[in-house]
Amino acid sequence: MAPSTTDVLLTDLHVSYVQKLGQNKDDLTYHLTSHLRLNAIYWGFTAVCILGRPDALDRDEMIAFVMSCWDEEAGAFGAHPDHDAHLLSTLSAIQILVMQDALDRLDVDRVVKFILSLQQPSGVFAGDKWGEVDTRFLYCAVNALSLLGRLDLLDKEKTVGYIERCRNYDGGFGNSIGAESHSAQVFVCVAALAILDRLDVVDVDTLAWWLSERQLPNGGLNGRPEKLEDVCYSFWVLSALSIINKVPWIDAEKLSSFILSAQDPESGGIADRPGDMVDVFHTLFGVAGLSILGYPGLVDLDPVYCMPANVIETRGLRKNWQALPRRQ
Amino acid sequence: MFWLIDRGGGGARLGAWRQRYGARPLRSAMHNVKRTRQTPEEREARKRKEQTKIEEFTSLSQTVLSKKKDGDWSQDAFNLTTRLLQVNPEFYTIWNYRREILINGTFAKSSPDEIKSVLTDELAMAMSALKAHPKVYWIWNHRRWCLENVPNVPGQESEPSHLGWKQSAWDRELFVVEKMLDTDPRNFHAWNYRRYVLARMPNAKPESAELAYTSRKIETNFSNFSAWHQRSKILTSLWAQGKLDEAKSREEEFELLRNAMYTDPNDQSVWMYHRWLVGTGGGKTILEREITAIQELLDEQPDSKWCMESIVHYKRLLVKSCADEVDVTSLLGECKELYKRLQELDPARRRRYQELAEEIDS
């Protein structure tokens, strides 16, 4: 058998890698990650959708699992049956149900009530009733309310006001007021602003400069100045660049090669860096990055929602982002 | 939809308490863990070995989750959460349950003194968890909750000393976070926590002390952008309150930067901080002086991208802010030259330089 090369995207291997994730029940790490299960299903499902194989995972089984994570006391989703509700897992559940066109299964009023109850007087959101706050949770809330068509219930001024106070002189955003800019927090803040039609808050030239300087000589992107590259930043940085229409400000070809070199050519999946262990999180964000870069054969990804673009277009939610044209 | 799952030091440093369960980190998101090939035989052997651990872990999880469902707030249940969190500190539901037990079980039948001592133990438990897992959000979050629940000293309500327990807990916390930043000076969890402690501690530390702290961190390593960032926030606040002579302090910062630039002209942190400092004000004089100073460095290091990037940025700023007092045509001509050189020197960002150059012509 000819050895697989990592010069091209190993689509079939990645699909089969994702399919096998649910069958690893004799693997300890499968059990040790139960607190991430719903998120992992969202990562895996979105990855196979972008790879053009949405049917690779069983629809009924997936919907049944999502519904089994419902936390009746809180009125939202935990990451696994009997785990507590949290905004992170609640957004994953809603995204999966939207992608599977199964929102009719959801008690929308209750979950909207849960989400809105987490907004703090400052405008940021807590992740759950225990009160940890972060711009990630603000994004989860805005994204979920938008998917559910209930954005009109949100105090937008207050929400945007908080993001604005997280903006730093380098154009980036942190996880809370005063925090250092970080690519992933830049993504959540910029995407939330895009959903709220308030991109005027972004200092585009300064932010695009800061984001473009995330690319290192090996083509990979880092999350902050003077840090190492990592495949997941391919999505955090690229999504923000595409929302402000500046993807060409980095070297797409070098970044594509870097992502491809982090594939496992034997068992599929993508790692943080070449030669490391793969996982479903980096598999999605590697594939997502390649989609934004116009890699041939991939399905368009909406960088604002991190879901297939056609799903978002159908719901009339597409914003004015720009990816690179898809190559043949 | 996501969070930053970053185990920094990688799988090898997972701490003694994970040894029993194997040093392999969680498969859903791994950072910096080398891929190893296993033969089918090795894989089988590993699976057999793991079987017992899987049974132990799943049965412990089920026991704890069912106690949680039953509203069991006993000491026995509390001890089981300790065991489970030692195996998996990312099991957020179990941290939640632990706090429910403390609130509804322990605190309800304890004196303030006992509550204080329980929370001290709790902070120690979270400390050993953090040492092994310095980037797990849930552990930092649990610390915040513990701190915020340290009671007042009873019977001293009218005395300043009624805050005594709180003060010593928060003071100790600043020490803890400094230890964490000694180990990893870029850990953003630790920096965020530091800002939280500084903002909320009952005996507020003067901001000048924090300025001195950032000096120490920067002296140890010029590349520590987290420390430069913190410094920009502290100075902004000190200047706004008039606690520092702004003009003098700004000059001191330029001096510090001059040293850093010459030490390593390729370090982004320094140039980003320089851009902040120039942006805080000073006008034409400062801009021209800084352009000259950077030009001197560029003459010594003719291929320094950051020298060029900064000069071109400041020249354009000069044109924008003082068009009536400068030779616009020659400055813009110099900028176009610099963009041309930057395109050759830094091809990854070629399009950016092209677009900025085209902007001049349009």
Side-chain angles (χ1 to χ4, degrees):
Chain A
M1 190 177 79
S4 301
T5 141
T6 55
D7 296 346
V8 292
L9 184 66
L10 306 167
T11 302
D12 290 343
L13 269 183
H14 298 322
V15 171
S16 99
Y17 164 75
V18 172
Q19 284 174 320
K20 282 181 191 150
L21 283 172
Q23 299 154 18
N24 290 335
K25 292 183 181 147
D26 54 355
D27 187 339
L28 179 60
T29 46
Y30 174 86
H31 300 276
L32 286 177
T33 53
S34 59
H35 62 281
L36 289 172
R37 191 74 71 236
L38 206 46
N39 309 77
I41 293 173
Y42 156 76
W43 296 326
F45 183 40
T46 309
V48 295
C49 288
I50 299 305
L51 289 164
R53 300 279 299 280
D55 299 330
L57 302 171
D58 187 277
R59 179 175 186 271
D60 292 342
E61 203 185 314
M62 192 182 301
I63 295 171
F65 182 81
V66 170
M67 295 318 295
S68 74
C69 295
W70 178 255
D71 176 347
E72 178 55 31
E73 203 185 311
F77 293 91
H80 189 274
D82 295 331
H83 292 205
D84 289 344
H86 197 283
L87 258 183
L88 290 165
S89 38
T90 298
L91 174 61
S92 287
I94 293 170
Q95 287 176 308
I96 296 167
L97 293 176
V98 167
M99 283 153 71
Q100 294 284 20
D101 198 16
L103 263 191
D104 56 328
R105 301 289 303 273
L106 184 63
D107 185 341
V108 174
D109 290 339
R110 275 209 76 190
V111 86
V112 165
K113 203 172 144 204
F114 170 84
I115 296 169
L116 291 172
S117 76
L118 294 172
Q119 188 165 34
Q120 308 298 301
S122 65
V124 72
F125 279 74
D128 62 13
K129 66 174 180 184
W130 295 99
E132 179 187 7
V133 299
D134 194 307
T135 44
R136 289 174 303 144
F137 308 145
L138 182 154
Y139 168 77
C140 289
V142 170
N143 184 338
L145 290 171
S146 162
L147 288 174
L148 297 173
R150 298 292 178 90
L151 217 43
D152 54 314
L153 297 174
L154 176 72
D155 185 336
K156 295 193 188 90
E157 281 296 304
K158 202 158 82 169
T159 311
V160 172
Y162 189 86
I163 302 178
E164 207 166 359
R165 278 175 285 148
C166 290
R167 191 182 54 207
N168 292 313
Y169 70 89
D170 51 27
F173 298 84
N175 89 320
S176 53
I177 296 169
E180 181 185 347
S181 298
H182 185 297
S183 317
Q185 310 291 158
V186 168
F187 157 70
V188 290
C189 290
V190 171
L193 290 170
I195 294 173
L196 297 168
D197 295 318
R198 285 301 307 276
L199 284 173
D200 59 291
V201 168
V202 179
D203 174 353
V204 172
D205 282 345
T206 309
L207 177 60
W209 162 65
W210 187 87
L211 288 168
S212 71
E213 289 296 342
R214 298 306 102 239
Q215 190 162 36
L216 296 171
N218 68 1
L221 305 174
N222 64 12
R224 295 181 279 162
E226 303 297 327
K227 296 279 286 178
L228 286 177
E229 71 286 353
D230 183 318
V231 160
C232 60
Y233 295 119
S234 310
F235 176 72
W236 314 132
V237 174
L238 275 180
S239 57
L241 281 172
S242 64
I243 294 169
I244 56 176
N245 293 340
K246 295 286 189 199
V247 179
W249 280 24
I250 58 154
D251 187 326
E253 207 170 308
K254 279 180 90 172
L255 176 57
S256 293
S257 309
F258 171 76
I259 299 173
L260 293 172
S261 71
Q263 298 178 102
D264 179 342
E266 285 177 32
S267 315
I270 302 177
D272 59 345
R273 290 185 199 112
D276 282 359
M277 292 281 278
V278 302
D279 59 67
V280 65
F281 174 87
H282 288 94
T283 303
L284 168 62
F285 294 122
V287 169
L290 289 171
S291 172
I292 295 174
L293 293 172
Y295 193 88
L298 288 178
V299 167
D300 288 349
L301 173 99
D302 186 296
V304 175
Y305 293 86
C306 196
M307 290 161 69
N310 62 344
V311 172
I312 298 302
E313 270 158 38
T314 311
R315 305 184 82 79
L317 296 175
R318 193 192 198 280
K319 299 296 172 184
N320 187 29
W321 50 269
Q322 234 172 344
L324 295 185
R326 184 132 338 268
R327 299 193 303 274
Q328 291 302 310
Chain B
M1 60 139 321
F2 82 98
W3 49 100
L4 303 167
I5 306 165
D6 180 4
R7 275 177 201 77
R13 272 197 266 138
L14 275 174
W17 65 8
R18 274 288 285 283
Q19 274 172 13
R20 165 138 183 70
Y21 287 85
R24 288 181 313 127
L26 316 184
R27 174 151 299 173
S28 283
M30 288 190 285
H31 284 88
N32 216 2
V33 186
K34 288 283 158 240
R35 190 158 70 224
T36 48
R37 295 276 160 240
Q38 283 182 321
T39 63
E41 293 77 26
E42 284 169 339
R43 213 165 13 244
E44 271 317 301
R46 178 171 62 79
K47 279 182 180 170
R48 273 196 305 278
K49 232 172 83 191
E50 280 187 357
Q51 202 48 47
T52 335
K53 293 177 192 169
I54 291 173
E55 280 158 21
E56 270 179 36
F57 177 75
T58 48
S59 118
L60 181 58
S61 297
Q62 277 160 12
T63 310
V64 176
L65 288 172
S66 88
K67 282 182 182 290
K68 177 177 186 291
K69 246 186 189 164
D70 298 342
D72 179 344
W73 299 321
S74 65
Q75 186 62 37
D76 177 44
F78 185 79
N79 295 342
L80 289 175
T81 66
T82 311
R83 268 184 61 198
L84 191 47
L85 289 169
Q86 282 173 346
V87 181
N88 185 2
E90 301 206 32
F91 205 154
Y92 69 91
T93 303
I94 306 305
W95 286 109
N96 296 348
Y97 179 33
R98 196 172 170 86
R99 288 188 289 268
E100 283 166 14
I101 298 173
L102 287 173
I103 294 169
N104 303 310
T106 318
F107 292 175
K109 51 176 195 249
S110 304
S111 67
D113 197 36
E114 286 164 332
I115 293 179
K116 181 198 75 163
S117 125
V118 166
L119 287 172
T120 307
D121 291 349
E122 202 57 14
L123 284 165
M125 180 269 191
M127 189 62 231
S128 58
L130 265 191
K131 275 187 187 153
H133 309 277
K135 296 188 175 179
V136 171
Y137 287 95
W138 315 110
I139 309 176
W140 288 103
N141 196 28
H142 189 65
R143 285 197 87 80
R144 286 185 169 91
W145 181 85
C146 291
L147 268 185
E148 288 166 19
N149 281 282
V150 172
N152 289 332
V153 183
Q156 304 182 9
E157 279 71 15
S158 52
E159 307 289 326
S161 61
H162 83 286
L163 288 174
W165 291 345
K166 286 195 165 114
Q167 282 168 354
S168 56
W170 287 77
D171 287 346
R172 198 170 49 233
E173 223 42 26
L174 204 55
F175 173 77
V176 163
V177 80
E178 282 180 23
K179 288 278 156 224
M180 297 300 291
L181 286 172
D182 286 343
T183 313
D184 177 2
R186 296 298 305 277
N187 183 342
F188 71 81
H189 298 271
W191 279 105
N192 287 341
Y193 191 70
R194 183 176 179 86
R195 279 182 281 271
Y196 158 82
V197 171
L198 287 170
R200 310 253 319 233
M201 62 196 305
N203 302 356
K205 290 264 176 297
E207 281 182 305
S208 54
E210 187 59 6
L211 188 65
Y213 180 72
T214 62
S215 300
R216 290 203 298 280
K217 293 313 259 186
I218 290 167
E219 277 160 24
T220 319
N221 182 1
F222 275 139
S223 299
N224 186 346
F225 185 73
S226 306
W228 289 107
H229 167 85
Q230 178 78 336
R231 195 172 176 84
S232 73
K233 299 284 174 189
I234 298 292
L235 281 174
T236 307
S237 162
L238 284 170
W239 294 345
Q241 296 172 68
K243 288 184 179 167
L244 260 188
D245 177 341
E246 190 173 335
K248 188 163 159 266
S249 154
R250 191 181 285 128
E251 283 312 303
E252 286 165 4
E253 294 307 295
F254 276 121
E255 194 50 42
L256 173 67
L257 280 168
R258 201 94 66 226
N259 270 328
M261 278 174 200
Y262 274 86
T263 308
D264 181 3
N266 297 318
D267 193 315
Q268 287 196 7
S269 320
V270 174
W271 295 105
M272 297 213 166
Y273 187 75
H274 190 269
R275 197 165 286 199
W276 167 73
L277 189 60
V278 169
T280 60
K284 183 165 172 280
T285 325
I286 297 274
L287 277 172
E288 286 178 336
R289 186 192 71 191
E290 289 307 303
I291 290 170
T292 311
I294 301 169
Q295 184 63 50
E296 278 170 26
L297 179 55
L298 180 60
D299 293 341
E300 275 180 40
Q301 309 265 345
D303 286 337
S304 165
K305 166 198 153 173
W306 281 98
C307 285
M308 288 182 223
E309 162 73 36
S310 303
I311 292 174
V312 79
H313 182 75
Y314 296 138
K315 284 190 173 168
R316 294 198 64 176
L317 217 53
L318 209 49
V319 169
K320 216 157 130 194
S321 55
C322 331
D324 299 340
E325 306 162 64
V326 294
D327 182 348
V328 172
T329 321
S330 74
L331 277 174
L332 290 180
E334 289 156 26
C335 287
K336 278 166 72 177
E337 263 322 295
L338 284 167
Y339 283 132
K340 215 183 271 171
R341 288 208 54 201
L342 280 164
Q343 286 183 48
E344 293 157 16
L345 210 66
D346 184 22
R349 282 160 282 267
R350 194 175 49 235
R351 281 288 296 275
R352 172 167 178 261
Y353 304 126
Q354 271 171 8
E355 279 180 36
L356 292 174
E358 284 161 12
E359 219 177 71
I360 293 181
D361 290 328
S362 64

